Amino acid sequence: MRAILAIDQGTTNSKAVLVSEKGEIVGRGSAPVGIAYPKPGWVEQDPRRLYASVCEAIDACLKATPDVAVEAVAISNQRESVTAWDAETGEALGPVVSWQCRRTAQDCERLIVEGHLHRVQALTGLPLDPMFPGSKFRWLLDRIPAGRSVRLGTVDSWLVHCLTGGRRHVCDASNAARSQLFDLREQRWSEELGEIFGVDIALLPKVLDSSADFGRTQGLPGVPDGTPIMAAIGDSHAALFGHGAFKPGDGKVTFGTGSSVMTTLPRFIPPRNGVTTTVAWRLHEKPTFAFEGNILVCAASLPWMAGILGLSDVAALVELAAGAEPGGPGFVPAFVGLGAPYWNSDARALFSQINFNTTRAQMARSVTDSIAFQVHDVIAAMRAQSGGELGALYVDGGPSQNRFLMQCVSNLIEHRVIQCEAPEASALGAAYLAGLSLGLWSNLQTVAELPRNTEIIEPQPVDRALLLDTWNDALVRSTARETKAKGE
């Protein structure tokens, strides 16, 4: 059997998936990556360990399916995480600075004070926030000894470098679009943005379509040298593609450590209302654009609360929460500030409206409901800006498999959600793009018609006004610390 080997390089794990010519998953493997927190608010990874985890995942996948011949490789990857390496030796010259990292918060504040915010947003579709890589690239450069031949890149470009034995320095348009150095309208690296962030754009990779020839493998264990790498794309973009969300208004919510809410656009629409505009994917040098809202903390709050309540695991927490009526206390999971649509780095996590009658189940319910409230606010911002109807809305990621959690989301946004059986939406999207490169599937319609196991969850009536009042009150309290500090 011939198959596409899809790499899904995530924040905590690297996965490898074999996808057949019928679009079916025929093999899986995974390996942990490892995360370091050297200072409060700092999050980083070892680029060598990151690549090693990819090799381990591939090894596990191929050993489980020894009769499969790998026809091509595809990459989906964690976004907004960046690193640097020596162009001549391939030596890592710094850590992978994670998308979660806040180490450049002061640099972003300085750029805002200097008046760069609106211009950066106009060119890139992204706010000046330490989540995004512009300031991180500068941080890396400031710590590299003079005289080194430097390459800068997103995770996909680092992986391509490793997979090709250092022969290629390329990335795809979706990853470039998350870098804060890429002009969305012009579809090229911007000298102006390079000057704002202090980054020489000559150090950045060549930008290719998401479905393109990224090079040939060299020295990848278990995969013959010369195997083509035919696709690369950011993981959230890959999930959108994997669901077949090709019509304007179609979207997806990926639930994980944080969450990514994306909806496909008919054209480029400048960002406002706290959401970003990005390249969903690019084919034949033509970009498809999307709105995105990045939620910083989503499912990460669940094991934390399970521990607080002395529960055995997240499943026990969700079961406890499901037994409580909605409308109890409010909870804002602003452990590292708030992302879309609020973009408030100074917000803090808190519970509100607790009294002597508050139960453990209600506390659990307030934490699980915070997932739905954040998705609601992002989708409301997207609806207000686009003026169009929300189309098919798919959900993926671990928490998406829980019916109770997804029912809460559907109820609050008053829209059906489509639950997908396969959790590997990102890997599938990357594989589909590689299949287009290879000619396995002729066009987007063919990809959209590939078999998918789904279940539709219809919204049920709830007192949304009451629930949103509690949530909004908690949000105000979460940001009161910042408001008071600025007032002083």
Side-chain angles (χ1 to χ4, degrees):
M1 178 190 298
R2 299 186 305 166
I4 295 168
L5 175 63
I7 299 165
D8 182 13
Q9 201 298 300
T11 306
T12 56
N13 293 285
S14 293
K15 300 176 183 177
V17 172
L18 286 167
V19 181
S20 74
E21 296 176 79
K22 296 180 181 180
E24 299 171 340
I25 294 174
V26 295
R28 295 176 172 89
S30 67
V33 181
I35 305 176
Y37 306 92
K39 296 182 182 180
W42 289 36
V43 187
E44 65 186 42
Q45 295 173 299
D46 182 341
R48 293 157 297 189
R49 172 58 206 161
L50 187 147
Y51 179 61
S53 72
V54 168
C55 294
E56 291 166 11
I58 290 172
D59 182 63
C61 181
L62 295 179
K63 283 182 176 177
T65 50
D67 297 329
V68 173
V70 176
E71 187 163 345
V73 175
I75 298 169
S76 88
N77 61 277
Q78 58 169 304
R79 308 166 308 149
E80 293 108 18
S81 299
V82 294
T83 193
W85 60 96
D86 190 296
E88 297 175 357
T89 67
E91 176 190 357
L93 298 177
V96 173
V97 184
S98 170
W99 62 273
Q100 296 174 303
C101 189
R102 314 299 288 177
R103 73 184 64 189
T104 59
Q106 290 185 346
D107 298 314
C108 292
E109 285 294 331
R110 174 181 54 80
L111 292 171
I112 291 171
V113 170
E114 292 174 357
H116 295 298
L117 173 60
H118 296 299
R119 186 59 177 161
V120 170
Q121 284 185 313
L123 291 174
T124 70
L126 306 172
L128 274 169
D129 185 89
M131 173 180 175
F132 301 107
S135 57
K136 296 174 185 175
F137 279 128
R138 183 64 254 172
W139 187 93
L140 286 164
L141 287 171
D142 286 341
R143 286 151 182 82
I144 296 173
R148 302 301 292 262
S149 179
V150 180
R151 284 180 174 174
L152 297 174
T154 46
V155 169
D156 65 324
S157 58
W158 168 246
L159 291 181
V160 170
H161 165 83
C162 295
L163 291 167
T164 62
R167 288 172 172 78
R168 298 297 301 276
H169 187 39
V170 293
C171 72
D172 100 294
S174 75
N175 279 289
R178 308 303 291 179
S179 70
Q180 280 192 319
L181 296 169
F182 190 69
D183 186 322
L184 290 189
R185 285 189 174 91
E186 297 293 329
Q187 289 291 293
R188 59 176 175 79
W189 299 120
S190 166
E191 292 277 3
E192 180 182 354
L193 290 166
E195 291 178 3
I196 290 173
F197 288 103
V199 175
D200 181 358
I201 63 171
L203 306 179
L204 298 168
K206 180 181 179 180
V207 181
L208 305 180
D209 285 350
S210 307
S211 178
D213 186 349
F214 286 81
R216 300 292 185 272
T217 59
Q218 181 69 37
L220 179 61
V223 177
D225 286 352
T227 300
I229 305 167
M230 300 305 288
I233 185 171
D235 51 9
S236 286
H237 312 250
L240 190 71
F241 195 90
H243 290 306
F246 302 141
K247 297 177 182 177
D250 286 354
K252 65 91 199 179
V253 185
T254 298
F255 295 93
T257 302
S259 283
S260 164
V261 185
M262 297 183 81
T263 55
T264 308
L265 296 174
R267 64 190 184 285
F268 176 82
I269 301 177
R272 56 183 176 85
N273 296 338
V275 298
T276 64
T277 303
T278 192
V279 174
W281 50 78
R282 197 174 80 183
L283 300 174
H284 310 297
E285 300 187 356
K286 181 180 179 181
T288 294
F289 293 101
F291 279 150
E292 180 169 18
N294 300 100
I295 297 168
L296 300 183
V297 175
C298 174
S301 62
L302 302 183
W304 170 81
M305 191 59 187
I308 293 292
L309 294 176
L311 299 171
S312 58
D313 54 25
V314 168
L317 176 76
V318 176
E319 183 179 0
L320 178 63
E325 291 296 323
F331 172 68
V332 180
F335 295 97
V336 291
L338 289 169
Y342 329 100
W343 295 113
N344 189 321
S345 294
D346 294 312
R348 291 296 178 264
L350 58 77
F351 289 94
S352 69
Q353 301 190 28
I354 298 172
N355 56 53
F356 282 122
N357 293 320
T358 301
T359 66
R360 294 170 74 249
Q362 288 175 322
M363 296 287 285
R365 179 69 186 256
S366 68
V367 173
T368 59
D369 279 353
S370 70
I371 294 173
F373 283 125
Q374 291 184 99
V375 172
H376 166 273
D377 287 1
V378 170
I379 288 179
M382 290 178 173
R383 282 169 160 165
Q385 184 170 350
S386 70
E389 292 295 324
L390 183 64
L393 184 66
Y394 302 88
V395 293
D396 61 75
S400 73
Q401 302 302 300
N402 186 279
R403 176 69 185 234
F404 167 72
L405 295 177
M406 295 305 100
Q407 186 68 63
C408 291
V409 171
S410 178
N411 295 349
L412 204 58
I413 66 174
E414 294 184 295
H415 192 85
R416 64 168 52 175
V417 301
I418 304 172
Q419 203 175 24
C420 303
E421 182 177 299
E424 300 94 348
S426 294
L428 283 170
Y432 295 161
L433 284 162
L436 287 174
S437 292
L438 294 171
L440 296 182
W441 305 297
S442 57
N443 51 41
L444 294 184
Q445 182 61 35
T446 306
V447 172
E449 292 172 354
L450 289 171
R452 295 172 175 84
N453 294 322
T454 61
E455 182 176 348
I456 294 174
I457 299 177
E458 298 285 356
Q460 298 172 350
V462 295
D463 190 341
R464 293 176 67 254
L466 175 64
L467 298 178
L468 289 170
D469 280 347
T470 301
W471 166 249
N472 289 324
D473 173 73
L475 277 177
V476 169
R477 297 173 188 275
S478 174
T479 57
R481 173 182 176 275
E482 183 222 7
T483 303
K484 180 180 179 182
K486 289 186 176 180
E488 294 172 351

